[in-house]
């Protein structure tokens, strides 16, 4: 019983800290005060420390000498390298998902992409970005290799946090991203040869990197 309570407290602390990192409450580089968080989540410092170690393995937190636990910061070069890794993973994960996608999945993808078009019309890039994330998450949910999906989601969480605080969204890349989604949906429906699907999905993400390098914006 004690172990169950300990795990529950650790999990609660983990979820609270993680959500605060992802919604920008805790900014990159911000120091995390364990005693303060423990009071806020209603636990002793031990479950909070354990939660922070778990978040460190998720690469959302890092330890700095003479400072302690801080929210991970990504500089521009690391950001670009992370996008390159994500491009490879997205291409392969999309490929693995093809055989499992249902008609319901295609309808969801089309619905999300329509929402992205509406968000563009409303100049709401925050909604656009979240729908873009959900669009790809639909595809990944059909991937049979959950280890790859988990690793990719951790990377996307890091990028999501960085976008909120440093590398902001700009509109020039967004319309092309929506068009690429339309093409990708069509390729998946027609079960285009696997190498073409993988290459297109990978290039879709690399186009985001290209836009960043050109300072045109991110989607």
């Amino acid at each position: 019983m004690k172990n169950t309570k300990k795990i529950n407290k650790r999990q609660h602390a983990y979820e609270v800290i993680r959500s605060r990192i992802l919604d920008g409450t805790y900014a990159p580089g911000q120091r995390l005060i364990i005693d303060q968080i423990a009071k806020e989540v209603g636990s002793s410092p031990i479950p909070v420390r354990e939660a922070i170690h778990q978040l460190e393995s998720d690469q959302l937190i890092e330890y700095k000498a003479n400072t302690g636990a801080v929210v991970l910061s990504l500089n521009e070069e690391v950001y670009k390298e992370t996008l390159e890794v994500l491009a490879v993973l997205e291409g392969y994960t999309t490929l693995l998902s093809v055989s499992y996608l249902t008609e319901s999945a295609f309808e969801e993808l089309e619905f999300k992409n329509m929402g992205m078009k509406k968000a563009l019309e409303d100049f709401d890039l925050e909604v656009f970005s979240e729908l873009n994330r959900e669009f790809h998450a639909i595809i990944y949910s059909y991937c049979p290799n959950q280890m790859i999906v988990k690793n990719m989601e951790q990377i996307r969480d890091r990028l999501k946090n960085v976008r909120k605080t440093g590398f902001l969204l700009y509109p020039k890349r967004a319309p092309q991203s929506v068009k690429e989604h339309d093409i990708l949906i069509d390729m998946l429906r027609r079960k285009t040869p696997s190498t073409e699907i993988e290459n297109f999905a990978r290039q879709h993400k690399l186009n985001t990197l290209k836009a960043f390098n050109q300072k045109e914006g991110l989607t």
Side-chain angles (χ1 to χ4, degrees):
M1 181 66 71
K2 288 184 178 179
N3 286 338
T4 300
K5 288 183 178 179
K6 183 178 179 181
I7 291 172
N8 288 341
K9 288 183 178 180
R10 182 189 67 198
Q11 186 62 28
H12 177 58
Y14 171 85
E15 291 172 357
V16 169
I17 298 169
R18 182 178 181 275
S19 66
R20 290 178 180 179
I21 292 173
L22 296 183
D23 69 15
T25 300
Y26 295 154
Q30 180 174 338
R31 181 188 174 199
L32 300 181
I33 310 299
I34 292 176
D35 289 342
Q36 178 181 330
I37 296 173
K39 290 179 182 178
E40 293 172 354
V41 300
S43 76
S44 69
I46 295 175
V48 176
R49 288 195 185 96
E50 292 175 345
I52 285 176
H53 283 305
Q54 187 175 350
L55 288 160
E56 183 184 19
S57 69
D58 291 345
Q59 298 185 348
L60 289 175
I61 286 175
E62 61 182 337
Y63 277 89
K64 289 190 175 181
N66 303 319
T67 301
V70 299
V71 179
L72 183 69
S73 299
L74 295 183
N75 60 35
E76 186 170 311
E77 192 58 37
V78 174
Y79 183 83
K80 291 190 287 187
E81 290 175 355
T82 304
L83 279 177
E84 290 176 342
V85 172
L86 187 59
V88 174
L89 291 176
E90 282 200 0
Y92 188 57
T93 306
T94 302
L95 168 63
L96 293 179
S97 303
V98 175
S99 300
Y100 301 91
L101 292 170
T102 63
E103 183 57 33
S104 175
F106 291 123
E107 291 173 358
E108 287 186 76
L109 290 171
E110 290 169 344
F111 179 77
K112 295 296 182 184
N113 212 34
M114 287 296 294
M116 291 173 68
K117 294 173 184 177
K118 178 65 166 56
L120 276 182
E121 293 173 0
D122 296 338
F123 300 101
D124 193 335
L125 294 182
E126 185 173 343
V127 169
F128 180 94
S129 181
E130 186 58 33
L131 288 172
N132 178 64
R133 183 181 175 87
E134 292 172 3
F135 176 94
H136 290 284
I138 291 169
I139 298 174
Y140 309 152
S141 69
Y142 288 85
C143 177
N145 190 325
Q146 289 304 300
M147 184 175 292
I148 293 178
V149 173
K150 182 179 180 180
N151 288 334
M152 189 161 53
E153 287 176 344
Q154 290 175 351
I155 293 173
R156 288 173 69 85
D157 282 345
R158 296 202 299 276
L159 292 180
K160 179 181 179 181
N161 187 44
V162 171
R163 283 171 176 161
K164 280 181 175 289
T165 55
F167 306 113
L168 300 178
L169 292 168
Y170 294 91
K172 290 185 179 180
R173 162 70 181 141
Q176 185 58 39
S177 181
V178 171
K179 292 178 182 178
E180 290 169 9
H181 284 176
D182 283 332
I183 296 172
L184 181 59
I185 291 171
D186 182 62
M187 293 176 72
L188 294 171
R189 274 187 182 278
R190 293 187 292 106
K191 289 186 168 50
T192 301
S194 58
T195 54
E196 293 183 30
I197 289 176
E198 182 177 8
N199 290 340
F200 186 87
R202 181 173 62 249
Q203 188 59 49
H204 173 64
K205 181 56 62 180
L206 290 176
N207 287 343
T208 297
L209 176 59
K210 180 180 179 181
F212 177 79
N213 288 332
Q214 296 174 345
K215 306 304 179 185
E216 291 180 352
L218 307 173
T219 61

